[in-house]
Amino acid sequence: MATNQDVQNSVAQVDRILEQVMDADMWIRFGLKLLIALIIIAGFYILTRVLTGAVSRLFTIRKINEHDYLAQRQNETLLKLLQNAIRYVLGIVMLLTVLSQFGINITGLVASAGIAGLAISFGAKNLVQDIITGAFIIFERQFKVGDFVRVGLIEGVVTELGIRTTKLKGLNGEIHIIPNGQILQVTNFSVDNSFALVDVQVSYEEDLERVERVLHQIADTTTKKYEDMFVEPIEMLGVQTLGPSEVVYRLMAEVPPMQHFQAGRLIRKELKQGLEVEGIKIPYPRMVMMNTEQGNGGQADDAKNVQSS
């Protein structure tokens, strides 16, 4: 059973609580702190809006060419990064300032936040690396949507360039999703004019001077026939290699970006037709079959050579 002393202690505790609740000075001090906190929150909110709006206007003025998709994407990405950084920094400062108004020791919170941030940074190292690399790719204009690039062993058209990942569409329609942090080296085929390199083989039995004249003629005819395809006339470079059964000539043509595939197909077609007209043979694999029948004296009395390609 509760003793009289326990009852008196409980009553005294309730009296102290009621006294604190009824303390007008305490409520005035709390109200002032709350008012100051609201003013601080409003001030930081206005400051955040002013700074993010100023950054937005700055990047709007910074746009050089509205039709340049890469410049637009670069501006949008950097704008979002700066605006988010402003919001996060000002939000943390505002929170710590408000807490300090209510007598909360923010030194321990700052230390705990530093330790937690360090742990999170170790856990999200790859994510941070992807984001930073993506920002540099966009800022440095390494490639843009629509470019044909090679990333490592993967080739394809850039379909999406994000702040964390890049998507490439291969020639067979497959989609490759590559984290930006894994992009160490990029080969961009769409920045400048391309070169179509075509090798053609002729037999050793052909007159090489005549072959070169014919190749020059075919190059000139093809250039005139498809003049919109070629930036510069097709050039016959000469003998490239001497193979086991053929002499290899190389032709080169400068074409607009990403047109070297189509240009190479056209040149090979014209070479095949032109060499056939001139009677110049393109060597191809042949198999010789010999059918031997035993006659009198064990000598072969019949032999056949059958050629097949």
Side-chain angles (χ1 to χ4, degrees):
M1 295 181 63
T3 62
N4 292 332
Q5 186 64 34
D6 294 335
V7 173
Q8 292 177 358
N9 291 336
S10 299
V11 171
Q13 185 176 2
V14 172
D15 291 338
R16 286 193 299 269
I17 294 174
L18 291 175
E19 183 179 355
Q20 292 177 357
V21 171
M22 300 300 295
D23 187 1
D25 294 336
M26 186 271 295
W27 284 108
I28 293 174
R29 291 193 300 270
F30 179 79
L32 290 175
K33 292 180 179 180
L34 183 60
L35 179 61
I36 294 173
L38 292 176
I39 294 174
I40 292 174
I41 293 174
F44 274 99
Y45 176 77
I46 295 173
L47 181 61
T48 302
R49 292 293 299 271
V50 171
L51 292 179
T52 54
V55 171
S56 179
R57 286 191 294 273
L58 177 63
F59 274 84
T60 300
I61 298 174
R62 186 176 177 271
K63 288 183 179 179
I64 301 174
N65 188 354
E66 295 182 355
H67 300 288
D68 189 347
Y69 181 82
L70 183 58
Q72 294 178 2
R73 193 62 182 267
Q74 174 187 349
N75 287 331
E76 291 174 1
T77 302
L78 294 178
L79 174 61
K80 291 179 181 178
L81 288 176
L82 289 177
Q83 288 180 335
N84 288 334
I86 291 172
R87 293 190 183 98
Y88 293 148
V89 172
L90 293 181
I92 293 173
V93 174
M94 179 196 68
L95 178 62
L96 295 177
T97 305
V98 171
L99 292 177
S100 64
Q101 291 296 318
F102 292 94
I104 298 176
N105 186 8
I106 63 174
T107 304
L109 292 177
V110 173
S112 300
I115 297 174
L118 183 63
I120 293 173
S121 64
F122 278 114
K125 180 179 66 174
N126 293 334
L127 177 61
V128 175
Q129 182 180 3
D130 293 340
I131 294 175
I132 294 176
T133 305
F136 276 104
I137 289 174
I138 297 174
F139 182 76
E140 296 175 356
R141 302 189 178 189
Q142 298 179 11
F143 53 86
K144 62 180 182 298
V145 174
D147 286 354
F148 187 87
V149 300
R150 179 191 298 137
V151 179
L153 300 177
I154 301 175
E155 290 185 356
V157 178
V158 180
T159 59
E160 183 177 336
L161 176 57
I163 193 65
R164 195 182 69 83
T165 61
T166 297
K167 294 183 180 180
L168 302 182
K169 185 175 182 180
L171 297 178
N172 295 324
E174 66 275 16
I175 300 296
H176 304 281
I177 302 175
I178 306 172
N180 291 331
Q182 297 182 10
I183 300 179
L184 303 179
Q185 182 178 359
V186 179
T187 302
N188 194 335
F189 296 94
S190 302
V191 174
D192 205 349
N193 291 335
S194 302
F195 289 91
L197 299 177
V198 177
D199 292 337
V200 59
Q201 303 173 354
V202 298
S203 174
Y204 275 109
E205 289 77 14
E206 300 292 341
D207 183 356
L208 297 187
E209 292 185 358
R210 176 173 176 266
V211 170
E212 291 182 1
R213 288 196 302 271
V214 171
L215 291 178
H216 279 294
Q217 294 174 1
I218 296 174
D220 294 339
T221 304
T222 305
T223 301
K224 295 177 182 178
K225 185 177 180 180
Y226 305 99
E227 58 182 358
D228 294 337
M229 174 66 68
F230 302 102
V231 177
E232 296 292 339
I234 302 173
E235 182 180 0
M236 208 283 291
L237 301 180
V239 177
Q240 179 69 17
T241 58
L242 299 175
S245 60
E246 73 280 345
V247 179
V248 180
Y249 282 90
R250 172 162 289 183
L251 290 83
M252 181 182 70
E254 184 176 355
V255 297
M258 288 305 301
Q259 295 297 318
H260 53 288
F261 296 116
Q262 180 66 17
R265 298 186 187 100
L266 293 176
I267 295 173
R268 293 185 185 92
K269 174 185 175 183
E270 297 297 327
L271 285 172
K272 173 66 167 56
Q273 295 177 345
L275 293 177
E276 284 184 350
V277 171
E278 296 295 332
I280 297 176
K281 296 181 180 179
I282 298 177
Y284 55 89
R286 301 184 180 185
M287 181 182 298
V288 178
M289 300 180 61
M290 301 185 66
N291 184 13
T292 303
E293 296 180 0
Q294 298 295 331
N296 294 331
Q299 300 294 327
D301 58 3
D302 187 20
K304 274 185 206 175
N305 291 340
V306 180
Q307 294 182 348
S308 62
S309 58

